[in-house]
Amino acid sequence: MSILLQGGRFKKRLMPILLSMALAGCSNLLGSSFTQTLQQDANASSEFYMNKLGQAQELEDQQTYKLLAARVLISENKVEQSEALLSELGELNDAQKLDRALIEARISAAKNANEVAQNQLRALDLNKLSPSQKSRYYETLAIVAENRKDIIEAVKARVKIDENLTDVQRRQDNVDKTWALLRSANTGVINNASDEGNAALGGWLTLIKTYNDYIRQPVQLSQALQSWKNAYPNHAAATLFPKELLTLLNFQQTNVSQIGLLLPLSGDGQILGTTIQSGFNDAKGNSTIPVQVFDTSMSSVQDIIAQAKQAGIKTLVGPLLKQNLDVILADPAQIQGMDVLALNATPNSRAIGQLCYYGLSPEDEAESAANKMWNDGIRSPLVAMPQNDLGQRVGNAFNVRWQQLAGTDANIRYYNLPADVTYFLQENGSNSTALYVVANPDELVEMKGYLTNSAPNLRIYASSRSSSNTASSNPEFVAQMNGVQFSDIPFFKETNSPQYQKLAKTTGGEYQLMRLYAMGADAWLLINQFNELRQVPGYRLSGLTGILSAGTNCNVERDMTWYQYQDGAVVPVAN
């Protein structure tokens, strides 16, 4: 009895100790369980994790929130902040050390330290990684391959990413990125690639080859894509089709029955409208498609659209003037059911179904200049823009494209006087080996004079604003510009063609009017392939004003032709 009583008393004394130990054990388990979230996807923003960090009481939880925030900061393009957060970490457990290693490798890849990133990944044991962590591992490999311009290796890595993803949105994003990689590769790389016995990789290669084979035949391409889906029913891109290709599955070829042409044919804008109309009519040639012309100087755009609808017209080209385009943009419902190729763009331009924007935009030239300089191996260009609205717009366009190419801002400066460019160069030291400038012929002559003495080896690129019929026909100007490259429409290459000779005669060789004529001709080309332009990704048309394709918001982009003043002549050069 005494023993039992003693046992009972002992049990009562022991219970608080056991309960305390159990609670402590639960606390450790809860903390450990939270740390295991590092093995899962981080779906919140860095701000969310930083807020949670401020609320966390346990040191282990704080470290975990820092790791989650650091991971997301990279995807938010805040690499330096991610690095700073990692530097604040204290002692970590094994799970946290593993996640930190993954983040460090991803940061190295983001900084283009490709060998470092690979070495950091080699140090990891893949068997210890969760599927989510494996997807991050392979994403870093994909970025390293992209940095090295090795498209096929990047695609292989993304195939491995898909194998480890379960979230539908993440899989769709990965499919879209894989497709974008394949679209960016030249056909030689694609055709020489081997699937290495990998069914998923083989499916991707077959898909891009199908696309490349039929890109100029959208109707057949639509059928071929459906056949591919049937042949690869379990492929990631069959179950989650690349978003860019979705519109092609139900593609319908452009079928224009009537066209309404909206131009200013009287008043101040008459010469602009009649010149564009001339190019449009000449490109139309013997086509039997009826064209009804509306003078936007005589009637309001709203009235013209109503008249066009009453006449059964479902396809419009124009308007040309910005104020008239803004009338449509203020009430897009008025063009519902119509295909509209506007001949301008305004600050209010945005994505509107069945509306595209086409014009001779100086921003297109800036983007073309960024591409040209990058392809010429230039990595630190100096960009000189006039201190006005034009300069701001063109400078911004150049910078946006440069950021896409180089991952950094371009050195853009704004001048009041041509002499300012010499100060820009002095301030930049020897970093810049090339200059892109928007200037009129007189300004460029003055700049070239300064630069010939102060920077004789500087490569100079200019916009079409520096080219005019008066300047280009002046031997003294051409001699002074020796070595300067400039962009302009490809029509100016065809100086011996009957079309060019005829136009030069009727316009007195005025370049601005010749550009407008070419724009009118290309408007006819674009409206007759309107569905192809809008729905077929990568679809390109060779026009008089450039290689034409649809960009963001269906803004028609022009890949310009480049020329060079060389030994007293103007000659085309490679883009």
Side-chain angles (χ1 to χ4, degrees), residues 182-481:
L182 290 166
R183 275 254 285 113
S184 70
N186 66 55
T187 53
V189 169
I190 297 298
N191 293 336
N192 292 326
S194 168
D195 63 16
E196 300 175 356
N198 185 310
L201 178 60
W204 277 116
L205 292 174
T206 303
L207 179 60
I208 187 61
K209 287 175 183 176
T210 298
Y211 172 86
N212 288 339
D213 288 345
Y214 291 102
I215 182 63
R216 299 297 304 168
Q217 302 161 286
V219 174
Q220 291 89 329
L221 175 57
S222 178
Q223 297 166 353
L225 290 176
Q226 192 59 59
S227 296
W228 179 90
K229 288 188 73 175
N230 295 336
Y232 294 87
N234 299 317
H235 194 277
T239 55
L240 296 168
F241 208 54
K243 289 180 180 177
E244 190 182 55
L245 295 178
L246 284 174
T247 56
L248 280 174
L249 291 177
N250 300 305
F251 174 79
Q252 290 188 337
Q253 194 168 13
T254 303
N255 184 19
V256 178
S257 57
Q258 295 184 75
I259 297 174
L261 181 61
L262 284 62
L263 293 170
L265 298 175
S266 58
D268 293 341
Q270 180 177 3
I271 190 168
L272 307 178
T274 54
T275 304
I276 290 173
Q277 183 185 15
S278 177
F280 189 88
N281 288 340
D282 284 355
K284 177 180 181 293
N286 296 321
S287 170
T288 57
I289 298 175
V291 176
Q292 186 169 341
V293 182
F294 299 91
D295 185 354
T296 57
S297 298
M298 298 294 292
S299 303
S300 71
V301 170
Q302 295 100 322
D303 288 346
I304 289 172
I305 292 172
Q307 292 173 39
K309 285 182 175 179
Q310 197 168 18
I313 297 172
K314 295 184 178 180
T315 303
L316 301 180
V317 175
L320 172 67
L321 302 181
K322 291 187 176 185
Q323 62 265 32
N324 290 331
L325 176 55
D326 275 334
V327 170
I328 293 176
L329 295 175
D331 182 19
Q334 61 189 308
I335 58 168
Q336 188 171 356
M338 308 181 87
D339 289 334
V340 180
L341 177 67
L343 298 179
N344 213 324
T346 82
N348 299 314
S349 297
R350 60 192 186 278
I352 295 174
Q354 296 176 276
L355 170 62
C356 292
Y357 308 91
Y358 168 58
L360 302 183
S361 161
E363 287 90 336
D364 288 341
E365 291 196 57
E367 292 173 15
S368 180
N371 292 333
K372 166 69 172 166
M373 297 178 88
W374 180 264
N375 292 337
D376 285 353
I378 293 160
R379 295 297 177 263
S380 299
L382 174 63
V383 181
M385 295 287 124
Q387 186 68 272
N388 55 30
D389 177 65
L390 171 69
Q392 292 288 339
R393 289 190 290 112
V394 176
N396 288 339
F398 186 100
N399 196 48
V400 168
R401 182 56 183 148
W402 194 258
Q403 287 173 332
Q404 294 168 347
L405 293 167
T408 186
D409 287 330
N411 181 15
I412 300 178
R413 306 297 298 274
Y414 297 91
Y415 68 86
N416 290 303
L417 299 171
D420 290 346
V421 295
T422 59
Y423 301 116
F424 298 159
L425 282 170
Q426 290 170 9
E427 292 169 2
N428 206 41
S430 59
N431 292 332
S432 293
T433 57
L435 167 72
Y436 177 60
V437 60
V438 170
N440 64 39
D442 292 337
E443 290 169 333
L444 187 59
V445 165
E446 192 173 344
M447 290 179 186
K448 183 69 161 57
Y450 294 129
L451 296 172
T452 298
N453 297 321
S454 61
N457 297 320
L458 186 73
R459 298 166 72 176
I460 301 175
Y461 299 77
S463 73
S464 63
R465 195 161 179 253
S466 67
S467 172
S468 70
N469 57 313
T470 304
S472 295
S473 61
N474 184 335
E476 184 179 352
F477 175 84
V478 174
Q480 287 175 306
M481 291 297 104

Side-chain angles (χ1 to χ4, degrees), residues 127-182:
N127 296 321
K128 292 183 179 180
L129 301 181
S130 69
S132 174
Q133 288 172 321
K134 285 180 181 176
S135 73
R136 292 162 56 201
Y137 175 98
Y138 287 113
E139 183 175 31
T140 299
L141 280 182
I143 292 167
V144 167
E146 287 181 57
N147 290 342
R148 290 172 169 165
K149 310 300 181 187
D150 192 336
I151 300 298
I152 301 302
E153 284 301 315
V155 170
K156 289 179 187 176
R158 293 213 165 269
V159 167
K160 299 295 287 185
I161 291 173
D162 183 73
E163 293 173 5
N164 289 283
L165 291 176
T166 55
D167 180 78
V168 173
Q169 185 55 57
R170 288 180 184 271
R171 288 193 70 206
Q172 182 69 67
D173 290 344
N174 188 58
V175 163
D176 292 336
K177 287 176 181 176
T178 308
W179 174 247
L181 282 168
L182 290 166

